[in-house]
Amino acid sequence: MPTGNDYFTALGALLRDIGSGTPRMVVDLDRLDDNLGRLLEMHSPESLRFVAKSLPSPQLLQYLSKRTGQQRLMVFHLPFLLQIVAAFPRANVLMGKPMPIAAMRRFYADRVANEFEDTGQLQWLADTKLRLMQFIELARAIGRPVSVSIEIDVGMHRGGLADEDSLAEMLDTIRGHREELRLAGFMGYDAHVPKAPWPHSVAAAAERAKERYGEFLEFAWANYPELEEGEWCVNGAGSPTIAMHGEESPLNDYSLGSALVKPTSFDLPTLQDFEPAAWIAAPVLKRLAGVRIPFIERLPSGGRDTLFIYGGKWMAEPCYPDGLRESPIYGLSSNQQMLTVPSDSDVAVDDYIFLRPMQSEAVMLQFGDLCVVRGNRHIDDWPVFQNAGFPAERIR
Ligand SMILES: Cc1ncc(COP(=O)(O)O)c(C=O)c1O
C-alpha cells in the first residue's frame, strides 16, 4: 500500500470534509489490519500481548482484542491500569516495569469493583528481593496473594536479574511465602538486539538473548518446579525483535505495540514488511512567500515558502507535502510551528500537512480522540487513555 501523494491528498480532503479544524492523530485501520495480519503470520493470537502505552486507546485495544479473540495486555502506567481493569474485566495484564509500592497500594484502593480477579489476571513485575518483600506486606494487607513476574536481564541491562544466584534468592523468597506470592512467570526484554554495533551481529545478539532466557528458565524448572502452578508466562520481545522469535524461541508470550502503527523509530530491517498506520494531520494557518527569519532577513529563501501550522513541536517527522521541512534556525513551536515547503508546492491555508510520529507512546496522547479512518472514510473517533489517577467512582 504506497504512501504516495494520492494517499495524503485523499486523507487531507477527508479531514476537511469532517471539519476537524484542529491537529489530529489519524489511525488508518486498513494499514493496521495489514500489520496485524503480518504479525499473525509469525505468532498465534494467544501468544500475543498488546502494549498499552504504544497503542494508548481503550477502543483501539478493544478493536485488536476482537480481531485476535484475546485480551492480553502489557501495561506501564497506573492510570492506564485502572482504566484497563474497568474496560477489560477479562483481561490478562502483565506490568512491563516494576511499580513503586505506593502505586500498587493505590491500585488496590482505587480499582473499580468488577469481575477482574487481580490475583489471577494481573502480574506485577519484580526485579529485586526488596520488592518481593514489599509485595508480601501488600498481600497481607489486601488479604490475598499477588502474582509476580520476575524481570530478567537478557542483555539489555535495564535492570532485572543478572545471574542465577539472584534468581535463586528471588525464587527462595517466593517458595517461603506461598500464601502471599504466586510466581506467574518471567519477563526479559531484548530491544538492544537490533542495535548490535560492529563487530557484533544482530543475529548473534538475538541468539544470545534467547540463550540467556533459556538458561534462567532451565534453572527455574530444574530447581523450583513446584512454583509452576499452571504454565509460566514466559514473556519477552517487542516490536524490534518480534520477527526474530521463531519456533526455537523459549518464549510463549510476545508483547508488542508500536509495530502495528509503525512510527519512524521502527523503520528497522526487522520490520520492513510493516507499514506506517498513524499520522499527525495539522491545519495550515498561514502561507508566506519566501522564508524570512528575524535578524537574517537577507538570507536567500532558496526557492522555499513558509508555513505556520496549528500546533507543533511534536516528536514527529514532516512527511507531506513533498519537501516539507522544519527550520532548525527558526526553531519549533507547540503553538504555531514554522515549516517550509518548495515554492511550487500548492499547499494552501486550511489544507492539512502530515507528519509521521517518531514513536506512538506519549505522542498518540497529545491530540484528544484518535481520528480513525478506513479506505477513504472516517470511521470513528476513539478516546485515548486519560493520563490521570482515577478513583473507582470516576471510571465509567
Ligand atoms: C518490557 C517491554 N516489552 C515490550 C515492549 C515493546 O513495546 P513496543 O512493541 O511498542 O515497542 C516494551 C517497550 O518499551 C517494553 O518495555
Side-chain angles (χ1 to χ4, degrees):
M1 213 184 284
T3 318
N5 288 357
D6 291 350
Y7 177 81
F8 288 113
T9 314
L11 209 48
L14 184 64
L15 284 154
R16 283 178 80 128
D17 285 351
I18 61 178
S20 125
T22 56
R24 300 294 307 266
M25 175 63 71
V26 179
V27 174
D28 183 327
L29 283 193
D30 283 334
R31 285 162 171 261
L32 186 90
D33 282 350
D34 286 353
N35 289 338
L36 184 62
R38 284 181 191 101
L39 190 60
L40 292 171
E41 281 164 21
M42 301 174 191
H43 297 290
S44 68
E46 319 79 64
S47 67
L48 294 176
R49 184 180 291 282
F50 295 117
V51 175
K53 72 179 169 67
S54 310
L55 302 162
S57 154
Q59 272 164 278
L60 177 53
L61 294 172
Q62 203 76 259
Y63 177 81
L64 293 167
S65 145
K66 282 204 188 110
R67 292 253 140 178
T68 52
Q70 49 92 336
Q71 294 195 350
R72 295 153 45 75
L73 300 169
M74 176 173 271
V75 181
F76 290 81
H77 190 35
L78 175 67
F80 292 10
L81 177 62
L82 291 168
Q83 290 161 76
I84 281 169
V85 166
F88 298 85
R90 292 187 297 110
N92 177 290
V93 178
L94 168 61
M95 297 308 288
K97 66 181 174 225
M99 297 296 274
I101 189 68
M104 292 176 65
R105 282 202 208 94
R106 275 189 51 207
F107 169 76
Y108 290 98
D110 291 353
R111 61 154 287 189
V112 72
N114 63 1
E115 67 267 37
F116 185 84
E117 201 258 298
D118 44 59
T119 300
Q121 291 173 246
L122 172 60
Q123 304 175 46
W124 295 103
L125 198 64
D127 58 332
T128 60
K129 181 175 171 188
L130 177 64
R131 236 178 253 290
L132 282 184
M133 301 312 290
Q134 294 175 328
F135 288 10
I136 292 167
E137 234 179 84
L138 175 71
R140 289 178 185 153
I142 60 174
R144 57 187 182 273
V146 299
S147 291
V148 183
S149 174
I150 294 187
E151 182 174 16
I152 54 177
D153 180 7
V154 295
M156 190 161 129
H157 309 327
R158 184 176 74 170
L161 307 189
D163 53 43
E164 286 169 2
D165 287 349
S166 21
L167 181 58
E169 194 189 24
M170 298 286 274
L171 297 180
D172 285 339
T173 307
I174 296 175
R175 182 146 68 186
H177 297 87
R178 303 291 298 276
E179 294 284 299
E180 293 91 351
L181 301 177
R182 276 196 199 158
L183 180 61
F186 301 88
M187 193 285 279
Y189 186 41
D190 58 5
H192 63 292
V193 164
K195 300 193 172 139
W198 186 88
H200 303 272
S201 84
V202 172
E207 279 322 298
R208 186 65 201 122
K210 284 181 218 168
E211 263 167 39
R212 281 295 291 147
Y213 213 134
E215 287 158 15
F216 279 114
L217 269 182
E218 291 299 331
F219 179 81
W221 274 321
N223 299 291
Y224 300 84
E226 76 280 14
L227 296 186
E228 187 167 32
E229 308 166 40
E231 205 189 2
W232 279 330
C233 169
V234 183
N235 172 272
S239 296
T241 57
I242 195 75
M244 306 186 81
H245 286 273
E247 282 182 356
E248 83 305 342
S249 174
L251 308 182
N252 60 17
D253 196 274
Y254 301 91
S255 41
L256 95 163
S258 308
L260 293 176
V261 287
K262 199 177 181 187
T264 59
S265 327
F266 294 83
D267 287 340
L268 301 166
T270 51
L271 291 175
Q272 65 185 11
D273 293 339
F274 288 70
E275 49 191 355
W279 318 98
I280 296 168
V284 175
L285 301 178
K286 303 163 187 168
R287 176 168 180 161
L288 311 178
V291 179
R292 295 181 75 229
I293 296 178
F295 310 109
I296 46 172
E297 285 86 354
R298 287 212 209 134
L299 206 71
S301 299
R304 300 186 71 80
D305 282 354
T306 302
L307 305 180
F308 285 91
I309 61 163
Y310 192 147
K313 208 171 183 175
W314 301 292
M315 260 190 271
E317 291 176 17
C319 70
Y320 180 83
D322 281 345
L324 181 71
R325 267 198 238 141
E326 288 171 348
S327 162
I329 311 176
Y330 196 93
L332 307 177
S333 160
S334 299
N335 169 39
Q336 295 180 64
Q337 174 143 336
M338 186 264 212
L339 292 157
T340 66
V341 282
S343 311
D344 60 4
S345 166
D346 56 10
V347 62
V349 169
D350 284 347
D351 284 348
Y352 288 79
I353 55 103
F354 292 87
L355 301 97
R356 210 176 133 206
M358 294 177 191
Q359 56 179 65
S360 55
E361 172 181 5
V363 182
M364 280 181 108
L365 296 173
Q366 293 182 286
F367 301 86
D369 292 1
L370 305 177
C371 176
V372 183
V373 302
R374 182 190 286 294
N376 201 22
R377 284 184 307 123
H378 175 225
I379 302 285
D380 210 346
D381 295 306
W382 288 348
V384 292
F385 283 115
Q386 301 295 304
N387 195 13
F390 272 83
E393 67 273 13
R394 284 176 57 201
I395 302 175
R396 293 284 164 269

PDB file of all heavy atoms in Angstrom, residues 160-187:
ATOM      1  N   GLY A 160      16.665  -5.833  36.178  1.00  0.00           N
ATOM      2  CA  GLY A 160      16.275  -7.237  36.090  1.00  0.00           C
ATOM      3  C   GLY A 160      17.409  -8.111  36.589  1.00  0.00           C
ATOM      4  O   GLY A 160      18.547  -7.651  36.738  1.00  0.00           O
ATOM      5  N   LEU A 161      17.101  -9.378  36.832  1.00  0.00           N
ATOM      6  CA  LEU A 161      18.112 -10.250  37.438  1.00  0.00           C
ATOM      7  C   LEU A 161      19.228 -10.542  36.453  1.00  0.00           C
ATOM      8  O   LEU A 161      18.983 -10.830  35.282  1.00  0.00           O
ATOM      9  CB  LEU A 161      17.469 -11.562  37.890  1.00  0.00           C
ATOM     10  CG  LEU A 161      16.246 -11.410  38.791  1.00  0.00           C
ATOM     11  CD1 LEU A 161      15.843 -12.748  39.353  1.00  0.00           C
ATOM     12  CD2 LEU A 161      16.511 -10.426  39.914  1.00  0.00           C
ATOM     13  N   ALA A 162      20.466 -10.476  36.987  1.00  0.00           N
ATOM     14  CA  ALA A 162      21.620 -10.621  36.108  1.00  0.00           C
ATOM     15  C   ALA A 162      22.197 -12.028  36.139  1.00  0.00           C
ATOM     16  O   ALA A 162      22.922 -12.419  35.234  1.00  0.00           O
ATOM     17  CB  ALA A 162      22.687  -9.613  36.512  1.00  0.00           C
ATOM     18  N   ASP A 163      21.888 -12.802  37.200  1.00  0.00           N
ATOM     19  CA  ASP A 163      22.502 -14.130  37.276  1.00  0.00           C
ATOM     20  C   ASP A 163      21.617 -15.100  38.059  1.00  0.00           C
ATOM     21  O   ASP A 163      20.618 -14.717  38.659  1.00  0.00           O
ATOM     22  CB  ASP A 163      23.898 -14.025  37.902  1.00  0.00           C
ATOM     23  CG  ASP A 163      23.846 -13.290  39.218  1.00  0.00           C
ATOM     24  OD1 ASP A 163      22.925 -13.560  40.008  1.00  0.00           O
ATOM     25  OD2 ASP A 163      24.702 -12.403  39.455  1.00  0.00           O
ATOM     26  N   GLU A 164      22.061 -16.363  38.038  1.00  0.00           N
ATOM     27  CA  GLU A 164      21.241 -17.395  38.668  1.00  0.00           C
ATOM     28  C   GLU A 164      21.197 -17.258  40.187  1.00  0.00           C
ATOM     29  O   GLU A 164      20.213 -17.638  40.817  1.00  0.00           O
ATOM     30  CB  GLU A 164      21.761 -18.771  38.259  1.00  0.00           C
ATOM     31  CG  GLU A 164      21.367 -19.067  36.821  1.00  0.00           C
ATOM     32  CD  GLU A 164      22.032 -20.281  36.230  1.00  0.00           C
ATOM     33  OE1 GLU A 164      22.810 -20.968  36.941  1.00  0.00           O
ATOM     34  OE2 GLU A 164      21.775 -20.546  35.040  1.00  0.00           O
ATOM     35  N   ASP A 165      22.260 -16.700  40.786  1.00  0.00           N
ATOM     36  CA  ASP A 165      22.231 -16.537  42.244  1.00  0.00           C
ATOM     37  C   ASP A 165      21.110 -15.592  42.652  1.00  0.00           C
ATOM     38  O   ASP A 165      20.384 -15.843  43.614  1.00  0.00           O
ATOM     39  CB  ASP A 165      23.568 -15.957  42.755  1.00  0.00           C
ATOM     40  CG  ASP A 165      24.662 -17.010  42.696  1.00  0.00           C
ATOM     41  OD1 ASP A 165      24.329 -18.202  42.475  1.00  0.00           O
ATOM     42  OD2 ASP A 165      25.842 -16.639  42.831  1.00  0.00           O
ATOM     43  N   SER A 166      20.972 -14.493  41.895  1.00  0.00           N
ATOM     44  CA  SER A 166      19.879 -13.576  42.275  1.00  0.00           C
ATOM     45  C   SER A 166      18.518 -14.201  41.971  1.00  0.00           C
ATOM     46  O   SER A 166      17.550 -13.958  42.692  1.00  0.00           O
ATOM     47  CB  SER A 166      20.013 -12.195  41.653  1.00  0.00           C
ATOM     48  OG  SER A 166      20.822 -12.198  40.544  1.00  0.00           O
ATOM     49  N   LEU A 167      18.461 -15.018  40.922  1.00  0.00           N
ATOM     50  CA  LEU A 167      17.186 -15.705  40.645  1.00  0.00           C
ATOM     51  C   LEU A 167      16.858 -16.670  41.784  1.00  0.00           C
ATOM     52  O   LEU A 167      15.719 -16.726  42.265  1.00  0.00           O
ATOM     53  CB  LEU A 167      17.269 -16.450  39.304  1.00  0.00           C
ATOM     54  CG  LEU A 167      16.002 -17.180  38.886  1.00  0.00           C
ATOM     55  CD1 LEU A 167      14.809 -16.242  38.785  1.00  0.00           C
ATOM     56  CD2 LEU A 167      16.198 -17.914  37.552  1.00  0.00           C
ATOM     57  N   ALA A 168      17.881 -17.388  42.246  1.00  0.00           N
ATOM     58  CA  ALA A 168      17.661 -18.345  43.341  1.00  0.00           C
ATOM     59  C   ALA A 168      17.142 -17.616  44.581  1.00  0.00           C
ATOM     60  O   ALA A 168      16.212 -18.077  45.251  1.00  0.00           O
ATOM     61  CB  ALA A 168      18.961 -19.081  43.655  1.00  0.00           C
ATOM     62  N   GLU A 169      17.718 -16.445  44.845  1.00  0.00           N
ATOM     63  CA  GLU A 169      17.292 -15.673  46.015  1.00  0.00           C
ATOM     64  C   GLU A 169      15.805 -15.294  45.897  1.00  0.00           C
ATOM     65  O   GLU A 169      15.031 -15.408  46.844  1.00  0.00           O
ATOM     66  CB  GLU A 169      18.162 -14.422  46.116  1.00  0.00           C
ATOM     67  CG  GLU A 169      18.058 -13.725  47.442  1.00  0.00           C
ATOM     68  CD  GLU A 169      18.756 -12.367  47.453  1.00  0.00           C
ATOM     69  OE1 GLU A 169      18.915 -11.758  46.369  1.00  0.00           O
ATOM     70  OE2 GLU A 169      19.110 -11.916  48.547  1.00  0.00           O
ATOM     71  N   MET A 170      15.425 -14.870  44.702  1.00  0.00           N
ATOM     72  CA  MET A 170      14.021 -14.484  44.466  1.00  0.00           C
ATOM     73  C   MET A 170      13.111 -15.710  44.602  1.00  0.00           C
ATOM     74  O   MET A 170      12.060 -15.656  45.241  1.00  0.00           O
ATOM     75  CB  MET A 170      13.840 -13.924  43.053  1.00  0.00           C
ATOM     76  CG  MET A 170      14.614 -12.677  42.744  1.00  0.00           C
ATOM     77  SD  MET A 170      13.921 -11.226  43.513  1.00  0.00           S
ATOM     78  CE  MET A 170      12.710 -10.728  42.309  1.00  0.00           C
ATOM     79  N   LEU A 171      13.521 -16.821  43.981  1.00  0.00           N
ATOM     80  CA  LEU A 171      12.650 -17.994  43.979  1.00  0.00           C
ATOM     81  C   LEU A 171      12.566 -18.611  45.382  1.00  0.00           C
ATOM     82  O   LEU A 171      11.514 -19.123  45.774  1.00  0.00           O
ATOM     83  CB  LEU A 171      13.122 -19.003  42.925  1.00  0.00           C
ATOM     84  CG  LEU A 171      13.058 -18.467  41.478  1.00  0.00           C
ATOM     85  CD1 LEU A 171      13.538 -19.500  40.474  1.00  0.00           C
ATOM     86  CD2 LEU A 171      11.651 -18.007  41.097  1.00  0.00           C
ATOM     87  N   ASP A 172      13.656 -18.519  46.144  1.00  0.00           N
ATOM     88  CA  ASP A 172      13.598 -18.977  47.545  1.00  0.00           C
ATOM     89  C   ASP A 172      12.581 -18.149  48.318  1.00  0.00           C
ATOM     90  O   ASP A 172      11.824 -18.673  49.139  1.00  0.00           O
ATOM     91  CB  ASP A 172      14.973 -18.825  48.220  1.00  0.00           C
ATOM     92  CG  ASP A 172      15.942 -19.909  47.762  1.00  0.00           C
ATOM     93  OD1 ASP A 172      15.480 -20.963  47.274  1.00  0.00           O
ATOM     94  OD2 ASP A 172      17.169 -19.691  47.889  1.00  0.00           O
ATOM     95  N   THR A 173      12.596 -16.841  48.061  1.00  0.00           N
ATOM     96  CA  THR A 173      11.668 -15.953  48.777  1.00  0.00           C
ATOM     97  C   THR A 173      10.223 -16.329  48.432  1.00  0.00           C
ATOM     98  O   THR A 173       9.357 -16.396  49.310  1.00  0.00           O
ATOM     99  CB  THR A 173      11.940 -14.475  48.403  1.00  0.00           C
ATOM    100  OG1 THR A 173      13.312 -14.219  48.618  1.00  0.00           O
ATOM    101  CG2 THR A 173      11.095 -13.520  49.209  1.00  0.00           C
ATOM    102  N   ILE A 174       9.979 -16.586  47.151  1.00  0.00           N
ATOM    103  CA  ILE A 174       8.611 -16.958  46.753  1.00  0.00           C
ATOM    104  C   ILE A 174       8.252 -18.311  47.384  1.00  0.00           C
ATOM    105  O   ILE A 174       7.157 -18.486  47.927  1.00  0.00           O
ATOM    106  CB  ILE A 174       8.482 -16.993  45.214  1.00  0.00           C
ATOM    107  CG1 ILE A 174       8.709 -15.587  44.645  1.00  0.00           C
ATOM    108  CG2 ILE A 174       7.111 -17.540  44.796  1.00  0.00           C
ATOM    109  CD1 ILE A 174       8.722 -15.488  43.135  1.00  0.00           C
ATOM    110  N   ARG A 175       9.212 -19.241  47.347  1.00  0.00           N
ATOM    111  CA  ARG A 175       8.951 -20.572  47.926  1.00  0.00           C
ATOM    112  C   ARG A 175       8.612 -20.453  49.412  1.00  0.00           C
ATOM    113  O   ARG A 175       7.789 -21.197  49.925  1.00  0.00           O
ATOM    114  CB  ARG A 175      10.188 -21.456  47.720  1.00  0.00           C
ATOM    115  CG  ARG A 175      10.013 -22.849  48.238  1.00  0.00           C
ATOM    116  CD  ARG A 175      10.740 -23.878  47.412  1.00  0.00           C
ATOM    117  NE  ARG A 175      12.198 -23.745  47.525  1.00  0.00           N
ATOM    118  CZ  ARG A 175      13.043 -24.460  46.800  1.00  0.00           C
ATOM    119  NH1 ARG A 175      12.601 -25.346  45.914  1.00  0.00           N
ATOM    120  NH2 ARG A 175      14.331 -24.303  46.936  1.00  0.00           N
ATOM    121  N   GLY A 176       9.239 -19.509  50.075  1.00  0.00           N
ATOM    122  CA  GLY A 176       8.992 -19.351  51.507  1.00  0.00           C
ATOM    123  C   GLY A 176       7.719 -18.579  51.814  1.00  0.00           C
ATOM    124  O   GLY A 176       7.362 -18.416  52.985  1.00  0.00           O
ATOM    125  N   HIS A 177       7.046 -18.040  50.806  1.00  0.00           N
ATOM    126  CA  HIS A 177       5.847 -17.212  51.050  1.00  0.00           C
ATOM    127  C   HIS A 177       4.738 -17.569  50.068  1.00  0.00           C
ATOM    128  O   HIS A 177       4.203 -16.706  49.381  1.00  0.00           O
ATOM    129  CB  HIS A 177       6.200 -15.713  50.938  1.00  0.00           C
ATOM    130  CG  HIS A 177       7.187 -15.269  51.968  1.00  0.00           C
ATOM    131  ND1 HIS A 177       8.543 -15.357  51.796  1.00  0.00           N
ATOM    132  CD2 HIS A 177       6.994 -14.763  53.225  1.00  0.00           C
ATOM    133  CE1 HIS A 177       9.160 -14.920  52.874  1.00  0.00           C
ATOM    134  NE2 HIS A 177       8.245 -14.551  53.765  1.00  0.00           N
ATOM    135  N   ARG A 178       4.381 -18.821  50.034  1.00  0.00           N
ATOM    136  CA  ARG A 178       3.381 -19.283  49.060  1.00  0.00           C
ATOM    137  C   ARG A 178       1.989 -18.724  49.346  1.00  0.00           C
ATOM    138  O   ARG A 178       1.146 -18.668  48.460  1.00  0.00           O
ATOM    139  CB  ARG A 178       3.315 -20.825  49.021  1.00  0.00           C
ATOM    140  CG  ARG A 178       4.638 -21.510  48.706  1.00  0.00           C
ATOM    141  CD  ARG A 178       5.097 -21.299  47.271  1.00  0.00           C
ATOM    142  NE  ARG A 178       4.201 -21.826  46.257  1.00  0.00           N
ATOM    143  CZ  ARG A 178       4.188 -23.077  45.829  1.00  0.00           C
ATOM    144  NH1 ARG A 178       5.046 -23.954  46.335  1.00  0.00           N
ATOM    145  NH2 ARG A 178       3.346 -23.481  44.891  1.00  0.00           N
ATOM    146  N   GLU A 179       1.749 -18.321  50.607  1.00  0.00           N
ATOM    147  CA  GLU A 179       0.445 -17.734  50.943  1.00  0.00           C
ATOM    148  C   GLU A 179       0.286 -16.356  50.292  1.00  0.00           C
ATOM    149  O   GLU A 179      -0.813 -15.945  49.943  1.00  0.00           O
ATOM    150  CB  GLU A 179       0.335 -17.503  52.463  1.00  0.00           C
ATOM    151  CG  GLU A 179       0.324 -18.744  53.301  1.00  0.00           C
ATOM    152  CD  GLU A 179      -1.027 -19.422  53.223  1.00  0.00           C
ATOM    153  OE1 GLU A 179      -2.007 -18.778  53.613  1.00  0.00           O
ATOM    154  OE2 GLU A 179      -1.084 -20.575  52.747  1.00  0.00           O
ATOM    155  N   GLU A 180       1.411 -15.661  50.187  1.00  0.00           N
ATOM    156  CA  GLU A 180       1.353 -14.271  49.720  1.00  0.00           C
ATOM    157  C   GLU A 180       1.715 -14.112  48.246  1.00  0.00           C
ATOM    158  O   GLU A 180       1.247 -13.172  47.602  1.00  0.00           O
ATOM    159  CB  GLU A 180       2.330 -13.394  50.532  1.00  0.00           C
ATOM    160  CG  GLU A 180       1.978 -13.225  51.996  1.00  0.00           C
ATOM    161  CD  GLU A 180       2.623 -14.298  52.874  1.00  0.00           C
ATOM    162  OE1 GLU A 180       3.202 -15.263  52.311  1.00  0.00           O
ATOM    163  OE2 GLU A 180       2.536 -14.189  54.104  1.00  0.00           O
ATOM    164  N   LEU A 181       2.603 -14.980  47.739  1.00  0.00           N
ATOM    165  CA  LEU A 181       3.147 -14.763  46.395  1.00  0.00           C
ATOM    166  C   LEU A 181       2.875 -15.941  45.473  1.00  0.00           C
ATOM    167  O   LEU A 181       2.969 -17.103  45.886  1.00  0.00           O
ATOM    168  CB  LEU A 181       4.669 -14.558  46.476  1.00  0.00           C
ATOM    169  CG  LEU A 181       5.162 -13.394  47.339  1.00  0.00           C
ATOM    170  CD1 LEU A 181       6.695 -13.382  47.366  1.00  0.00           C
ATOM    171  CD2 LEU A 181       4.644 -12.056  46.817  1.00  0.00           C
ATOM    172  N   ARG A 182       2.563 -15.629  44.225  1.00  0.00           N
ATOM    173  CA  ARG A 182       2.457 -16.662  43.189  1.00  0.00           C
ATOM    174  C   ARG A 182       3.400 -16.312  42.068  1.00  0.00           C
ATOM    175  O   ARG A 182       3.347 -15.186  41.563  1.00  0.00           O
ATOM    176  CB  ARG A 182       1.055 -16.684  42.607  1.00  0.00           C
ATOM    177  CG  ARG A 182       0.150 -17.487  43.442  1.00  0.00           C
ATOM    178  CD  ARG A 182      -1.104 -17.812  42.670  1.00  0.00           C
ATOM    179  NE  ARG A 182      -2.092 -18.173  43.655  1.00  0.00           N
ATOM    180  CZ  ARG A 182      -3.371 -18.120  43.461  1.00  0.00           C
ATOM    181  NH1 ARG A 182      -3.845 -17.717  42.305  1.00  0.00           N
ATOM    182  NH2 ARG A 182      -4.203 -18.479  44.410  1.00  0.00           N
ATOM    183  N   LEU A 183       4.209 -17.250  41.660  1.00  0.00           N
ATOM    184  CA  LEU A 183       5.113 -16.977  40.544  1.00  0.00           C
ATOM    185  C   LEU A 183       4.359 -17.223  39.236  1.00  0.00           C
ATOM    186  O   LEU A 183       4.054 -18.360  38.879  1.00  0.00           O
ATOM    187  CB  LEU A 183       6.355 -17.871  40.612  1.00  0.00           C
ATOM    188  CG  LEU A 183       7.333 -17.630  39.455  1.00  0.00           C
ATOM    189  CD1 LEU A 183       7.862 -16.207  39.451  1.00  0.00           C
ATOM    190  CD2 LEU A 183       8.492 -18.625  39.503  1.00  0.00           C
ATOM    191  N   ALA A 184       4.055 -16.123  38.544  1.00  0.00           N
ATOM    192  CA  ALA A 184       3.279 -16.247  37.298  1.00  0.00           C
ATOM    193  C   ALA A 184       4.187 -16.446  36.090  1.00  0.00           C
ATOM    194  O   ALA A 184       3.760 -16.988  35.076  1.00  0.00           O
ATOM    195  CB  ALA A 184       2.419 -15.006  37.104  1.00  0.00           C
ATOM    196  N   GLY A 185       5.436 -15.969  36.187  1.00  0.00           N
ATOM    197  CA  GLY A 185       6.314 -16.136  35.028  1.00  0.00           C
ATOM    198  C   GLY A 185       7.514 -15.207  35.050  1.00  0.00           C
ATOM    199  O   GLY A 185       7.930 -14.725  36.115  1.00  0.00           O
ATOM    200  N   PHE A 186       8.020 -14.945  33.859  1.00  0.00           N
ATOM    201  CA  PHE A 186       9.260 -14.182  33.693  1.00  0.00           C
ATOM    202  C   PHE A 186       9.099 -13.169  32.567  1.00  0.00           C
ATOM    203  O   PHE A 186       8.313 -13.380  31.637  1.00  0.00           O
ATOM    204  CB  PHE A 186      10.421 -15.125  33.343  1.00  0.00           C
ATOM    205  CG  PHE A 186      10.642 -16.174  34.404  1.00  0.00           C
ATOM    206  CD1 PHE A 186       9.950 -17.385  34.353  1.00  0.00           C
ATOM    207  CD2 PHE A 186      11.504 -15.932  35.460  1.00  0.00           C
ATOM    208  CE1 PHE A 186      10.123 -18.339  35.345  1.00  0.00           C
ATOM    209  CE2 PHE A 186      11.680 -16.889  36.462  1.00  0.00           C
ATOM    210  CZ  PHE A 186      10.986 -18.101  36.394  1.00  0.00           C
ATOM    211  N   MET A 187       9.873 -12.081  32.662  1.00  0.00           N
ATOM    212  CA  MET A 187       9.847 -11.086  31.595  1.00  0.00           C
ATOM    213  C   MET A 187      11.282 -10.668  31.280  1.00  0.00           C
ATOM    214  O   MET A 187      12.027 -10.277  32.177  1.00  0.00           O
ATOM    215  CB  MET A 187       9.019  -9.869  32.031  1.00  0.00           C
ATOM    216  CG  MET A 187       8.665  -8.902  30.918  1.00  0.00           C
ATOM    217  SD  MET A 187      10.026  -7.865  30.392  1.00  0.00           S
ATOM    218  CE  MET A 187      10.005  -6.601  31.627  1.00  0.00           C
TER     219      MET A 187
END
